[in-house]
Amino acid sequence: MSTPKYKLIYFNCMWLAEPIRYLLSYVKEDFEDVRLDYEEWQKDDGKINKDEFLYQKLPVLEDLENGLILGQSFAITRYLGRKYSLAGTTDVEAAKCDEYSDVLKDVLKEIEMIYEKDEKTKAELNTNFLEKTIPRYFSVIESDLKKNGGKYLVGNGITWIDFLLCHMAQLFSVLSESDVLTDYPTIKKYQQEFFEISEIKEWIGKRPVTPH
């Protein structure tokens, strides 16, 4: 067995780290998949020293070849995309990848209903998310993806943004308890095809049981 080139530290959930796991699996790189206990992380009993991690946050990627320690999930995915030539072939394509990643960050910020304890308020926030947030952003992505042929969001080959979008669309559906892609058939088909990629299927088949 080859020595892993990377160590990825996160929790036993998909949330922000699964696109990174997908990308590393796609490029067939072994990585140490370190999963900390989230409940232990939330405690202040000193069992987990958060000061050991950048910004006291996860995920963190360690590139064991060059010594880089990198925080922030989107930055990690972008870094790996560039390193493995999955970031577009022109400055324009690279810029579009960055644009769509910022769009997904915007959508993530609006999933506030999952933290709401009042059921009525939570329902109202969820309705707003499904009826306003998703259409605002996904209508544009649907149109752009369709114009680009439907297989890749940017350019003529897979890029790091494809890993993010396919996972995030799935995550948004799980958290909102509704299929956010119902009105976006191009994205839905594109996502289905992404999860049929052999390296992605292989990772899904062997990964630990992982909640979103």
Side-chain angles (χ1 to χ4, degrees), residues 148-166:
N148 199 47
K151 190 170 184 179
Y152 307 111
L153 185 53
V154 174
N156 297 317
I158 196 167
T159 61
W160 62 273
I161 197 61
D162 294 311
F163 296 87
L164 271 173
L165 176 57
C166 290

Side-chain angles (χ1 to χ4, degrees), residues 57-83:
K57 296 181 70 175
L58 297 178
V60 168
L61 179 80
E62 296 182 20
D63 188 326
L64 303 176
E65 285 192 315
N66 59 24
L68 173 69
I69 299 176
L70 188 64
Q72 299 295 320
S73 59
F74 282 47
I76 293 169
T77 312
R78 181 186 292 111
Y79 167 71
L80 292 171
R82 289 173 175 169
K83 188 172 181 179

Side-chain angles (χ1 to χ4, degrees), residues 102-104 106-107 110 132-142 184 187:
D102 286 344
V103 163
L104 293 173
D106 285 346
V107 180
E110 298 197 34
K132 294 184 179 180
T133 302
I134 290 297
R136 182 190 312 143
Y137 296 107
F138 275 57
S139 60
V140 177
I141 295 174
E142 171 77 7
Y184 309 104
I187 304 176

Side-chain angles (χ1 to χ4, degrees), residues 14-146:
M14 298 183 194
W15 195 258
L16 298 176
E18 204 64 14
I20 303 166
R21 295 173 180 137
Y22 285 145
L23 199 156
L24 286 171
S25 299
Y26 178 78
V27 297
K28 300 180 180 179
E29 288 288 9
D30 289 332
F31 63 99
E32 188 178 348
D33 187 23
V34 178
R35 300 179 181 226
L36 302 184
D37 186 296
Y38 182 73
E39 292 185 2
E40 290 296 326
W41 177 271
Q42 293 292 87
K43 297 176 183 177
D44 293 319
D45 57 10
K47 289 184 178 179
I48 296 178
N49 183 5
K50 295 181 183 178
D51 291 335
E52 294 180 359
F53 305 98
L54 284 174
Y55 318 112
Q56 300 182 351
K57 296 181 70 175
L58 297 178
V60 168
L61 179 80
E62 296 182 20
D63 188 326
L64 303 176
E65 285 192 315
N66 59 24
L68 173 69
I69 299 176
L70 188 64
Q72 299 295 320
S73 59
F74 282 47
I76 293 169
T77 312
R78 181 186 292 111
Y79 167 71
L80 292 171
R82 289 173 175 169
K83 188 172 181 179
Y84 290 96
S85 301
L86 302 174
T89 58
T90 66
D91 289 343
V92 170
E93 290 180 0
K96 292 301 290 185
C97 287
D98 290 339
E99 175 193 334
Y100 293 125
S101 72
D102 286 344
V103 163
L104 293 173
K105 282 183 184 178
D106 285 346
V107 180
L108 267 174
K109 289 176 184 176
E110 298 197 34
I111 308 187
E112 54 190 323
M113 72 278 186
I114 65 170
Y115 303 110
E116 179 57 53
K117 294 182 179 179
D118 181 78
E119 290 301 319
K120 182 179 178 181
T121 304
K122 184 174 182 177
E124 290 172 352
L125 290 171
N126 199 35
T127 298
N128 183 75
F129 179 77
L130 293 170
E131 295 183 358
K132 294 184 179 180
T133 302
I134 290 297
R136 182 190 312 143
Y137 296 107
F138 275 57
S139 60
V140 177
I141 295 174
E142 171 77 7
S143 176
D144 289 353
L145 180 61
K146 192 172 183 179

